[in-house]
Amino acid sequence: MPELPEVNTFQRYFDQTALDQKIEQAQVHDDKIIRNMDGRSFAEALAGRTFTGSYRRGKYLFGNLDNGAHVQLHFGMTGDLKYYEAPEDQPKHERFVFLFENGYKLGFDCPRKFARIVYVEDLQQYIEDKQLGEDALQISLDDFLAQAEGKKSTLKGFLLNQKYLAGMGNLYVDEVCYQTRIHPASRVHAMPQEALERIHSKMQEVLQYAVEHNAYYKAYPKDWLWKWRDEEARAPDGTPVSIAKIGGRTTYYFVGYQKLFD
DNA sequence: TGTGATGTTGAATG
DNA sequence: GCATTCAACATCAC
């Protein structure tokens, strides 16, 4: 489920379960989920360490280790965390697990193995090399406009590109476009500044609301697109939903109800 | 049985 | 260098 608000919820969970406890051992069940070393090296690097904090940027969560290194947790499409004690509570698709001194474990579950776990020696350098954009919840209007400057891509493609800003995913992009009544296939360079300002403002409003509700979508307002994202959906003016690939992803939008800048 | 899914990356193309 | 499209990654659920 992981877009920015979901990862923010994972961060809270991580902080409540993993911090300030010595890691007795890390066990890697599936080597391929660790992207920059084999499972044995990862386990060796983590043994005896302690997480002292965490840092989230967009959909990327980093656990801060007491030796200055970080562990990147990126959840892909199906990543999840589970803190448990009894062996029978181990999640079905656990790919690796931290065993703490108190006997509890923090397991990383991921049915589709799209998650990306990386042992990061130098976080600043890593983020720079990745060209990871500013966090979508933090980015100022000025920086947002600067990123949008001259972009010929679709609005959706722009918002999804983690180099420009980090954290937006398929569902929240559709939500913001719907609520601002701007067509997701609009060309960024054809949008007046006022429209970009509305996107920026609504984006942070939506993300903030979602974060405050722990990304629990059932608690989202009834008038969000999210609630009834299906083929029967209609805009308030009765426009039936259109479903098409925009920016490479399945997109729900309303022709006419959402203004197209092209 | 086939299809697509809340994500990212790299290759190929224009 | 940019933008776009596509395939790949691997598994599950409808």
Side-chain angles (χ1 to χ4, degrees), chain A residues 2 7 33 59-61 72-77 79 108 110 114-118 162:
Chain A
V7 177
I33 205 121
K59 307 169 195 173
Y60 292 79
L61 178 61
Q72 170 188 296
L73 303 176
H74 187 289
F75 295 85
M77 299 271 260
F108 190 95
C110 191
F114 287 5
R116 314 181 97 83
I117 310 305
V118 178
Q162 307 297 304

Side-chain angles (χ1 to χ4, degrees), chain A residues 37 41 53 71 84 144 146 165 174 181-182 209 211-212 218 225 241 245 248 260:
Chain A
M37 53 175 67
S41 305
V71 176
Y84 65 98
F144 181 80
L165 65 163
D174 280 8
R181 300 188 62 171
I182 296 171
Y209 188 94
V211 161
E212 284 169 5
K218 288 180 181 172
L225 173 62
V241 73
K245 293 270 186 200
L260 178 65

Side-chain angles (χ1 to χ4, degrees), chain A residues 124-237:
Chain A
Q124 293 307 324
Q125 188 64 46
Y126 180 79
I127 287 176
E128 193 176 309
D129 290 347
K130 267 186 100 58
Q131 302 180 64
L132 189 56
E134 278 190 75
D135 187 76
L137 203 46
Q138 308 285 333
I139 189 169
S140 68
L141 175 60
D142 282 350
D143 287 351
F144 181 80
L145 293 174
Q147 289 297 326
E149 179 72 35
K151 292 289 189 303
K152 293 175 188 157
S153 73
T154 60
L155 174 59
K156 179 152 189 172
F158 167 70
L159 292 172
L160 283 175
N161 191 327
Q162 307 297 304
K163 282 197 291 194
Y164 302 144
L165 65 163
M168 292 294 279
N170 198 27
L171 272 56
Y172 286 93
V173 168
D174 280 8
E175 188 67 52
V176 169
C177 289
Y178 168 71
Q179 290 195 31
T180 52
R181 300 188 62 171
I182 296 171
H183 197 299
S186 294
R187 297 283 157 182
V188 174
H189 69 135
M191 292 172 61
Q193 180 166 325
E194 167 274 327
L196 288 168
E197 287 173 1
R198 276 194 288 136
I199 290 285
H200 174 265
S201 166
K202 183 61 75 178
M203 171 178 81
Q204 297 195 334
E205 179 190 320
V206 164
L207 290 175
Q208 188 61 43
Y209 188 94
V211 161
E212 284 169 5
H213 291 78
N214 296 311
Y216 184 61
Y217 68 89
K218 288 180 181 172
Y220 294 173
K222 289 190 175 61
D223 58 352
W224 280 25
L225 173 62
W226 199 297
K227 275 286 190 188
W228 30 269
R229 195 177 196 271
D230 64 55
E231 293 171 7
E232 306 294 312
R234 284 180 181 276
D237 66 359

Side-chain angles (χ1 to χ4, degrees), chain A residues 3 30 35 44-45 64 92 97 100 111 114 170 188 207 228 256:
Chain A
E3 298 184 37
D30 188 322
R35 302 296 171 141
E44 277 174 12
N64 312 345
K92 185 174 176 188
V97 60
F100 296 109
F114 287 5
N170 198 27
V188 174
L207 290 175
W228 30 269

Side-chain angles (χ1 to χ4, degrees), chain A residues 44-61:
Chain A
E44 277 174 12
L46 270 291
R49 300 262 69 87
T50 299
F51 285 114
T52 57
S54 67
Y55 170 66
R56 184 191 59 72
R57 179 137 156 177
K59 307 169 195 173
Y60 292 79
L61 178 61

